[in-house]
Amino acid sequence: MSAVRKPISLALQGGGAHGAFTWGVLDLLLEDGRLSIDAISGTSAGAMNAVVLADGWLDGGAKGARAKLEAYWRAVSSDGKLSATQRTLFDSFLGASPLHGFGIGAFWLDLFKKSASPYHFNPLNINPLRDFLQREINFETVRACTDIKLFIAATNVETGKVKIFEGRELTPDHVMASACLPTIFQAVVIDGVPYWDGGYMGNPALYPLIYGAGTDDILLVQINPVERKGTPMTPRDIQNRLNEITFNATLLREMRAIDFVTRLIDKGKLSTAEYKKVLMHRIALSESLKDIDASSKADATWDFFVMLKKAGRTAARKWLDTCFDDIGARSTIDLRKEFG
């Protein structure tokens, strides 16, 4: 192992149960030890992975972070230690319906979710997710973790703009805001402002890493495919693909902006003294498990999590073997080709 660790920032997408792929990527990177994580930008499941990693890191470095991540994913699995009420909440977070146990068919289930509001079926705004996060994650430790900068994205309901919460201010509410699907949860109100899932306006947000991190290199762990062949025809498939497109939209715009600035820098039209040349890298779930279905985001079984973790570790190992020498020197993805 090289004595000099290369700094890098991580951009972690949200995507329900597919966040276990990101767990695998993080597990391998931490085990390998050749990279120094300068900052993490995360949304929804990506935000969960980010705060869990930070919690474990301060207590035990890379080993502590790996152990904390495994304990977290074990806890939220369907054969983990959640109560029935908490399981309902995490099923909702993963994309399943809280009404599944009532035996309602998929069509009527989707119809109910479109016509009913969480302000009606949960007027008391009962949210065991908050209690779970308070028990499983030490947010005092997360706020004290200055080794790794954290940026967690949520969407301001009133302005429609992305809001970035930083590590030093994080509480369970900030993470809940980042994962707040408005068809399932009431908006999370922080300092009088309502927030929804960060994926609508930043999945994940890259600009905090451009301006707030000390390294030029950003590794995107992408779990929502940009491209999916074929035309979806069932209501569920249409909704799944619509969600993928929606939750990738802001990422595509940021990637195009990075490509535009990079080309101007390379042509000498912009100075690196004023503009940062970002070096982009990517590990994608769709390249590891090409046929994985969007509906499996709701699969909370431990076996499925372990399968995704193994896929993430394999993808991270392949990426390190192929791209490690390029870190700090050049991008390893063609932004125009992939996101243009």
Side-chain angles (χ1 to χ4, degrees):
M1 185 174 67
S2 173
V4 179
R5 299 166 69 209
K6 290 188 175 184
I8 199 165
S9 293
L10 304 178
L12 310 182
Q13 272 201 327
H18 292 179
F21 175 83
T22 303
W23 165 33
V25 172
L26 297 174
D27 187 72
L28 191 283
L29 296 181
L30 290 165
E31 178 185 75
D32 180 87
R34 286 181 289 168
L35 297 180
S36 171
I37 301 173
D38 182 72
I40 304 176
S41 177
T43 298
S44 196
M48 299 281 187
N49 276 318
V51 297
V52 171
L53 185 153
D55 183 16
W57 179 269
L58 194 60
D59 282 343
K63 185 176 181 180
R66 293 179 65 204
K68 194 73 177 182
L69 282 163
E70 176 155 3
Y72 167 79
W73 283 98
R74 169 67 79 174
V76 300
S77 71
S78 57
D79 23 11
K81 56 185 179 181
L82 296 182
S83 68
T85 307
Q86 290 168 333
R87 166 54 41 210
T88 298
L89 247 297
F90 272 95
D91 282 349
S92 300
F93 164 68
L94 295 174
S97 171
L99 302 174
H100 177 75
F102 289 89
I104 302 174
F107 173 80
W108 296 108
L109 207 55
D110 289 339
L111 185 62
F112 179 88
K113 288 165 67 177
K114 292 176 182 177
S115 61
S117 160
Y119 294 88
H120 298 147
F121 63 72
N122 184 13
L124 298 180
N125 197 21
I126 298 171
N127 197 333
L129 178 57
R130 182 182 289 106
D131 296 334
F132 175 83
L133 291 173
Q134 288 174 333
R135 187 179 72 246
E136 295 296 321
I137 300 173
N138 186 334
F139 278 86
E140 289 186 7
T141 301
V142 172
R143 291 190 292 271
C145 183
T146 57
D147 291 348
I148 302 172
K149 304 180 189 73
L150 295 182
F151 304 101
I152 303 303
T155 300
N156 185 316
V157 177
E158 297 175 332
T159 66
K161 297 178 180 179
V162 66
K163 172 65 176 179
I164 301 298
F165 299 110
E166 298 189 22
R168 62 179 180 271
E169 63 183 322
L170 293 180
T171 68
D173 280 349
H174 296 101
V175 180
M176 288 168 54
S178 184
C180 180
L181 294 173
T183 57
I184 301 297
F185 303 107
Q186 292 189 24
V188 178
V189 179
I190 300 172
D191 296 330
V193 180
Y195 294 99
W196 283 341
D197 195 296
Y200 295 113
M201 295 307 298
N203 191 26
L206 299 182
Y207 77 87
L209 301 177
I210 297 173
Y211 298 107
T215 176
D216 295 336
D217 291 86
I218 298 175
L219 171 59
L220 168 67
V221 183
Q222 186 175 6
I223 55 181
N224 292 306
V226 172
E227 181 176 341
R228 189 180 289 276
K229 295 294 186 182
T231 303
M233 296 184 179
T234 68
R236 184 173 294 275
D237 288 345
I238 292 170
Q239 188 60 53
N240 284 338
R241 184 55 184 151
L242 181 60
N243 287 341
E244 287 177 340
I245 293 171
T246 299
F247 285 118
N248 271 331
T250 55
L251 174 65
L252 264 63
R253 285 197 291 270
E254 285 198 277
M255 286 294 206
R256 289 165 182 159
I258 291 171
D259 176 57
F260 179 66
V261 171
T262 299
R263 285 188 284 115
L264 291 178
I265 291 174
D266 289 343
K267 292 178 181 179
K269 295 183 178 181
L270 292 178
S271 168
T272 53
E274 298 180 35
Y275 294 89
K276 190 175 196 176
K277 182 174 180 178
V278 177
L279 307 179
M280 285 300 310
H281 315 275
R282 180 180 63 177
I283 297 174
L285 171 61
S286 60
E287 295 174 0
S288 302
L289 300 170
K290 297 183 184 299
D291 298 325
I292 194 165
D293 191 88
S295 63
S296 63
K297 290 180 181 180
D299 187 344
T301 59
W302 177 245
D303 286 347
F304 185 61
F305 287 172
V306 170
M307 184 272 287
L308 286 174
K309 178 194 177 185
K310 290 179 179 177
R313 282 181 56 86
T314 299
R317 172 56 64 199
K318 180 180 179 181
W319 177 78
L320 280 172
D321 289 345
T322 305
C323 302
F324 180 78
D325 290 341
D326 295 314
I327 299 171
R330 62 188 64 83
S331 293
T332 56
I333 54 174
D334 186 334
L335 295 179
R336 178 173 290 188
K337 177 182 177 181
E338 296 293 334
F339 300 97

